[in-house]
Amino acid sequence: MLKGRLGLETARVPHADRHGLIWLERGELCVIDGCLHFMSGKESLTPHVLQIPHQAVSMILLGPGSSVTHDALRLLARHGTLMAAVGQDGVRTYTAPPLLPDRSDVARRQAELWGNPRRRVSVARHMYALRLGEILPHRDLDTLRGIEGARVKAIYRLMADKYGIPWDGRHYDRNNPEATDIPNQAINHAATAVQGAAAIAVQSLAAIPQLGFIHEDSGQAFVLDIADLFRDTITLQIAFSVAKKAINGDQTSIDRLVRREASTVFRKQDVIASMIDKIKQVLRTEESDGAGSDSDA
């Protein structure tokens, strides 16, 4: 693009006016004649070239089999368009450059709630209410964690019965995650996949991954918070359906089975979009600061 042409080379469309995410895979993200393009079938006689309206989207998710040129990264950085390298259908997020959106409202709201102990507990109670289906009267996080832990054990048992799978309890060795039975391995891999999707949702809103309301020590504490909201409906559904396939004789590795199943579930149930909505709901960004911001969740 010619420098100074209608001022377009420095135009910056606010993220609020953009169209969200765009998914690209199996091709090369490159710059042709000053514009962003995605070229697939590069080695064929008739490659397919798609021009990307990079100023009209907030974030590009670059799927498997893709590459990106230096010029493309430079163009994305200039116009404030985010990019993340992700797994099939958003099952995992492998890397993302520093995300520098043009708005800070979500991050400021999150920091405001997290920095006030009473409001932080209020948000945690709200998240537990979303997971458990009821608002618990307790305000102590350890008590809430204990109640949630007991219910999760019961859900594990119910899911195992539903899928007809032997269940001896939840076992996980961080140093050797494969040294356990098939259902536990499937849960480990499914949890990783759902956390990848949650990381994409957190990144797309420019929320702060480190500021969790239930989880604390992890550098991805808020990502874990959001992933846990989908444990019963998504993570365990994926894990136990895969475990049943493996027990019934499917010789494919548990990791690959989980990734395939997660890919299908994420796509059919719009999991990442649902996670984005849940983040907004948890942080109540759509409320005004004066309307109920100090009330309990």
Side-chain angles (χ1 to χ4, degrees):
M1 182 177 294
L2 296 176
K3 183 173 179 59
R5 181 183 175 187
L6 302 179
L8 295 179
E9 83 287 351
T10 57
R12 179 71 64 86
V13 179
H15 283 271
D17 297 329
R18 302 192 188 193
H19 297 294
L21 313 177
I22 185 171
W23 176 277
L24 302 170
E25 65 177 14
R26 308 197 186 285
E28 180 182 81
L29 193 63
C30 58
V31 176
I32 301 176
D33 295 332
C35 297
L36 190 68
H37 289 75
F38 189 72
M39 183 183 301
S40 58
K42 185 177 179 180
E43 304 300 327
S44 68
L45 295 177
T46 57
H48 179 70
V49 180
L50 174 68
Q51 184 169 339
I52 307 300
H54 57 279
Q55 293 194 65
V57 296
S58 289
M59 188 175 191
I60 293 175
L61 303 180
L62 205 58
S66 301
S67 60
V68 57
T69 66
H70 184 277
D71 274 352
L73 292 174
R74 175 178 50 80
L75 192 65
L76 292 174
R78 177 183 297 171
H79 295 284
T81 304
L82 314 177
M83 191 199 78
V86 301
Q88 185 72 37
D89 288 319
V91 169
R92 293 180 177 177
T93 176
Y94 299 109
T95 183
L99 306 182
L100 303 174
D102 57 357
R103 295 178 62 87
S104 63
D105 53 339
V106 172
R108 286 186 290 109
R109 177 66 173 173
Q110 182 183 0
E112 175 189 0
L113 295 171
W114 186 89
N116 184 311
R118 184 171 65 85
R119 301 176 80 181
R120 181 179 176 186
V121 172
S122 178
V123 173
R125 291 179 64 218
H126 185 191
M127 299 181 79
Y128 276 118
L130 291 172
R131 291 161 64 174
L132 303 177
E134 62 178 308
I135 299 177
L136 300 176
H138 309 282
R139 293 182 175 276
D140 179 70
L141 284 183
D142 288 335
T143 302
L144 292 170
R145 292 186 182 110
I147 295 173
E148 188 262 351
R151 298 211 180 173
V152 167
K153 289 181 180 179
I155 291 171
Y156 284 148
R157 173 62 62 186
L158 290 173
M159 293 293 288
D161 292 342
K162 176 182 176 180
Y163 286 91
I165 295 173
W167 179 251
D168 296 323
R170 183 74 172 110
H171 306 289
Y172 179 51
D173 182 356
R174 292 185 180 275
N175 296 321
N176 190 6
E178 304 299 329
T180 184
D181 56 24
I182 288 176
N184 274 281
Q185 289 185 45
I187 292 173
N188 295 342
H189 290 301
T192 299
V194 174
Q195 287 167 21
I200 293 172
V202 170
Q203 291 167 5
S204 67
L205 287 177
I208 305 172
Q210 297 87 348
L211 299 187
F213 295 90
I214 296 175
H215 295 82
E216 297 177 345
D217 296 331
S218 172
Q220 297 290 316
F222 191 55
V223 172
L224 298 176
D225 282 355
I226 300 304
D228 275 357
L229 294 177
F230 293 79
R231 178 190 292 168
D232 300 350
T233 57
I234 301 297
T235 305
L236 297 186
Q237 172 191 338
I238 293 170
F240 281 97
S241 62
V242 164
K244 184 174 182 179
K245 292 179 183 178
I247 290 174
N248 288 341
D250 195 319
Q251 298 299 312
T252 308
S253 69
I254 298 295
D255 182 21
R256 178 167 292 185
L257 281 174
V258 167
R259 282 188 280 113
R260 289 176 179 173
E261 182 68 16
S263 174
T264 300
V265 171
F266 288 1
R267 183 172 60 254
K268 288 184 176 180
Q269 299 192 29
D270 291 330
V271 170
I272 294 176
S274 298
M275 288 178 168
I276 291 173
D277 290 340
K278 276 291 190 292
I279 293 172
K280 292 179 179 179
Q281 180 181 353
V282 166
L283 299 181
R284 296 173 287 176
T285 55
E286 295 168 346
E287 292 184 4
S288 65
D289 289 339
S293 61
D294 290 324
S295 63
D296 289 339

